[in-house]
Amino acid sequence: MNHIIINVGRQLGSGGHDIGRMLALDFQAKYYDRELLNLAAKESGFSEKFFEQNDEKKGFLKGLFNMQTSHISGGSMYKTNFSQESLFQFQSDAIIKAAKEGPCVFVGRCADYILRDFPNTVNIFITASMKYRIAQVMNKQHINAEEARKFIESKESKRAAYYNYYTGKKWGAAESYDLCIDSSILGLTDTEKIIAAFIRKRFDL
């Protein structure tokens, strides 16, 4: 299998994580989502918990210097001149390192921008109807429809701000991706099949 890099952007509740996992199996690639937090922690010297708390959030360094030393691996700073960009760089370094090692599927975290100069990359965005996404979030979070809608809007606002800030592009805009597809029309399995067929056609696999 060729060294294919698949970057998956996704709306909350669209099934992007599940589709990403299916693509990884389909193309015999490593799957990276929250796994990137562990890699970034190793790169930076911070604990994985710190990256989890600040995952895909712009402006997360406001409380950095007031945090508990338990957030720092070994109880000491990796660098003393931290900036918001330096933490983004730790995660970027982890993404680049993983991408160099073999075929990968990355979910979110600006991987499409970070790996923009890599050959054989394809950028996918998974959308779904709000009705479908609300139903998914209601089921997973055990909340009502109105709470689910507010949850989606809050999370996506932060996700979009993070993506837009670091990439200079617009999160979810069609021109930022090679393929945008609505998973609520055909379901996750058939959506993954369409994406896989697109990738094979593009790279003549």
Side-chain angles (χ1 to χ4, degrees):
M1 182 64 68
N2 291 349
H3 191 151
I4 302 297
I5 305 297
I6 304 170
N7 301 311
V8 179
R10 74 287 185 215
Q11 287 186 313
L12 193 67
S14 66
H17 298 280
D18 293 329
I19 290 172
R21 289 189 185 94
M22 286 188 276
L23 287 168
L25 288 172
D26 208 342
F27 288 93
Q28 302 172 35
K30 288 187 176 181
Y31 174 83
Y32 293 100
D33 181 6
R34 297 188 69 81
E35 294 83 355
L36 287 172
L37 305 181
N38 178 260
L39 294 178
K42 290 179 179 178
E43 289 289 328
S44 67
F46 277 87
S47 72
E48 186 176 353
K49 183 178 180 181
F50 178 72
F51 281 90
E52 287 177 354
Q53 290 174 342
N54 301 298
D55 190 24
E56 290 189 309
K57 294 178 183 177
K58 177 179 173 290
F60 53 69
L61 283 187
K62 291 179 180 178
L64 175 62
F65 294 102
N66 295 321
M67 68 184 179
Q68 299 292 323
T69 55
S70 60
H71 290 308
I72 307 172
S73 177
S76 61
M77 287 279 191
Y78 181 84
K79 290 183 179 179
T80 57
N81 57 334
F82 277 99
S83 67
Q84 182 173 317
E85 284 70 23
S86 66
L87 287 187
F88 177 76
Q89 189 61 50
F90 291 139
Q91 187 163 272
S92 298
D93 291 344
I95 289 171
I96 291 169
K97 183 177 180 180
K100 288 179 177 179
E101 293 176 352
C104 296
V105 174
F106 295 101
V107 175
R109 296 170 183 85
C110 302
D112 58 319
Y113 175 77
I114 293 165
L115 302 175
R116 62 194 180 280
D117 295 325
F118 274 59
N120 292 350
T121 60
V122 60
N123 302 319
I124 310 296
F125 193 80
I126 311 296
T127 69
S129 68
M130 181 58 81
K131 180 179 179 180
Y132 177 89
R133 295 192 290 139
I134 286 174
Q136 298 305 307
V137 172
M138 285 174 63
N139 182 56
K140 290 184 178 181
Q141 300 293 328
H142 306 291
I143 54 180
N144 64 38
E146 183 59 28
E147 289 170 333
R149 180 183 290 273
K150 290 180 179 179
F151 181 85
I152 290 170
E153 291 173 349
S154 175
K155 292 286 187 179
E156 290 197 340
S157 176
K158 293 175 183 176
R159 184 177 290 174
Y162 179 89
Y163 181 89
N164 296 349
Y165 177 79
Y166 284 110
T167 68
K169 300 192 294 180
K170 185 176 180 181
W171 180 80
E175 61 265 25
S176 296
Y177 309 93
D178 300 309
L179 176 68
C180 298
I181 189 166
D182 186 333
S183 62
S184 62
I185 296 175
L186 298 178
L188 303 189
T189 300
D190 284 342
T191 297
E192 188 276 336
K193 289 179 180 178
I194 291 172
I195 295 170
F198 172 83
I199 293 170
R200 291 190 174 94
K201 183 70 173 179
R202 174 170 176 172
F203 295 116
D204 195 26
L205 299 177

